[in-house]
Amino acid sequence: MNYDDEKMTLHRESPCKVNLLLNVLGRRPDGFHELETIMHPVHLTDALSFERAASGIELGCNVPELPVDSRNLVHRAATAFLNRAGIQREGIRIHLEKRLPLAAGIGAGSANAAATLAGLNELFGSPLSEAELQELAVALGSDVPFFLQCKPALATGRGEQIQPLDFFSIVRGAAFLLVYPGFGVSTPWAYRSLARFPDALNGRPSRAQKLIAALNSGDLNAVGSELYNSLEAPVLSKYPLLQLFQDHLRELGAPAVRMSGSGSTTFALAPAPEAAEEWAARLKKRFGSQLWTAVAPVHVEG
Ligand code: C5P
C-alpha cells in the first residue's frame, strides 16, 4: 500500500485465500450453513486505487463483464463505509485492476471489499474503529472479515467468526499452486446442492483440530490426508474435470491437493515453489496451455 503524492491516490493490493478445510456442519435456520473452515492467505493479488472526489462513488474496472454499480462488492463496501462514517459532502473514485479469476472460490471479491473498507478508512483519516469495520465486513459477506486481518484463521459460524492462527511451520519455504479451469462455480448453487449429499451436508465437527495438528507436525503427507472440503461432493460430481486435476496432481506426487471454497479453483501445497512450477507445467501439458495456473510462495509474517 502506498500513496501517489500528486493526486493523493491510495494504492492497495488485494490478495486471495484457499480453504485448507471447509467442513459444513449443517444447514442453519437463516439459510446459511454452519462451518468450520481453515483459511490461508495467498499472495496473488488484484490492485485497487482510491481517491477522494467531489461526490458519489465512481468505480472503474479493467474487466468489462464485471458490473461497476451496486452489484459489485467494492461499490457496496464503499457505500457502507460512507454511510457508517457519515460522509455526505464528499465522494470516492476507485479503480479495480482484476488479475484473479472470478467465481473461483479463492475469495478475491471478498478481499476487494475488505481492501476497500480498510483503504477508505485510511484515506479519510480513520473515522471508523476496527470493530466498526468488522461489523461492515460481516454484512458484506461471510469471507470479508477474514481479509481484514488476512492471517491464517479458523473461521466458524457462517465463516465470519475469525480466530487467527499462528503461521504453521510447514508453510515456511512452501508455495501454493492454484489451478483455475476457465469457468466459475456459483456459491449459492454449491451450498444448495449439498441437500443431495447428506453426509457432506452434516459433517462431523473437529476436523479442524486434526488438520491444525497435522499442519504443526511438519509432515506434508499428514496434512494432505486431513485437507477436506464438503463442497467437493456436489461440485466435483457436476464438473469431473476438477476431479481429473486432483488425480493428475496426486499422480505427479503432490501430497496435499484440494478444491478451494465452492470452486472452481484447485490448489496444491508444495514444499517449494520449484515443485509447484513443475506441477503447473505438467498440468498445462496434459490439459492445454490455456489453463490458468499461478504459483504463490507462502508469505510468513508476524
Ligand atoms: O456470505 P456470502 O455472500 O459469501 O455467501 C454467498 C452464498 O453462499 C450465500 O447466499 C449462501 O447461499 C451460501 N453460503 C452458505 N453458508 C455459508 C456461506 C455461504 O449457505 N456459511
Side-chain angles (χ1 to χ4, degrees), residues 148-249:
L148 279 180
Q149 50 94 34
C150 212
K151 297 213 170 88
L154 169 64
T156 52
R158 65 176 168 95
E160 88 290 11
Q161 289 168 27
I162 306 291
Q163 286 169 246
L165 301 169
D166 287 336
F167 277 90
F168 307 106
S169 56
I170 199 158
V171 302
R172 266 177 213 287
F176 286 110
L177 166 63
L178 268 50
V179 183
Y180 176 73
F183 57 83
V185 171
S186 154
T187 301
W189 170 83
Y191 277 101
R192 240 184 5 256
S193 303
L194 281 173
R196 289 185 283 114
F197 300 88
D199 288 348
L201 173 61
N202 300 298
R204 55 184 164 83
S206 85
R207 282 183 184 272
Q209 293 316 320
K210 285 195 176 152
L211 175 56
I212 290 169
L215 285 160
N216 287 325
S217 76
D219 176 356
L220 209 46
N221 288 307
V223 171
S225 51
E226 297 300 338
L227 299 180
Y228 176 76
N229 185 339
S230 313
L231 295 173
E232 283 188 356
V235 177
L236 298 190
S237 79
K238 180 163 181 191
Y239 303 104
L241 176 65
L242 304 182
Q243 181 67 60
L244 292 182
F245 288 168
Q246 292 198 14
D247 294 346
H248 197 65
L249 281 162

Side-chain angles (χ1 to χ4, degrees), residues 45 81-82 103 110 115 216 234 267 269 273 286 294 301:
T45 58
F81 171 81
L82 289 180
S110 301
N216 287 325
F267 72 89
L269 181 57
R286 169 77 176 74
E301 295 134 20

Side-chain angles (χ1 to χ4, degrees), residues 10-233:
L10 174 66
H11 299 280
R12 277 199 176 229
E13 295 289 310
S14 161
C16 58
K17 55 88 182 168
V18 290
N19 299 83
L20 298 175
L21 176 79
L22 198 167
N23 188 18
V24 175
L25 304 177
R27 193 162 184 279
R28 308 182 347 168
D30 65 5
F32 281 88
H33 291 75
E34 195 69 16
L35 305 178
E36 56 171 7
T37 178
I38 297 178
M39 296 195 268
H40 201 291
V42 176
H43 285 268
L44 296 168
T45 58
D46 291 329
L48 284 141
S49 61
F50 309 95
E51 273 171 44
R52 292 164 78 146
S55 66
I57 296 167
E58 190 189 310
L59 174 61
C61 181
N62 63 321
V63 176
E65 56 269 34
L66 204 62
V68 287
D69 54 19
S70 61
R71 286 169 293 171
N72 191 306
L73 217 44
V74 167
H75 199 285
R76 290 219 288 278
T79 304
F81 171 81
L82 289 180
N83 288 343
R84 186 59 177 262
I87 298 169
Q88 288 161 348
R89 286 163 206 273
E90 263 192 280
I92 307 163
R93 193 169 303 118
I94 304 175
H95 184 77
L96 169 59
E97 191 69 20
K98 265 281 166 204
R99 304 169 186 143
L100 296 168
L102 308 175
I106 55 174
S110 301
N112 295 161
T116 300
L117 292 176
L120 293 180
N121 202 40
E122 181 177 336
L123 195 65
F124 284 87
S126 301
L128 300 186
S129 67
E130 289 302 315
E132 286 172 310
L133 290 177
Q134 196 71 22
E135 211 180 292
L136 296 185
V138 173
L140 287 165
S142 309
D143 285 350
V144 183
F146 165 78
F147 286 107
L148 279 180
Q149 50 94 34
C150 212
K151 297 213 170 88
L154 169 64
T156 52
R158 65 176 168 95
E160 88 290 11
Q161 289 168 27
I162 306 291
Q163 286 169 246
L165 301 169
D166 287 336
F167 277 90
F168 307 106
S169 56
I170 199 158
V171 302
R172 266 177 213 287
F176 286 110
L177 166 63
L178 268 50
V179 183
Y180 176 73
F183 57 83
V185 171
S186 154
T187 301
W189 170 83
Y191 277 101
R192 240 184 5 256
S193 303
L194 281 173
R196 289 185 283 114
F197 300 88
D199 288 348
L201 173 61
N202 300 298
R204 55 184 164 83
S206 85
R207 282 183 184 272
Q209 293 316 320
K210 285 195 176 152
L211 175 56
I212 290 169
L215 285 160
N216 287 325
S217 76
D219 176 356
L220 209 46
N221 288 307
V223 171
S225 51
E226 297 300 338
L227 299 180
Y228 176 76
N229 185 339
S230 313
L231 295 173
E232 283 188 356

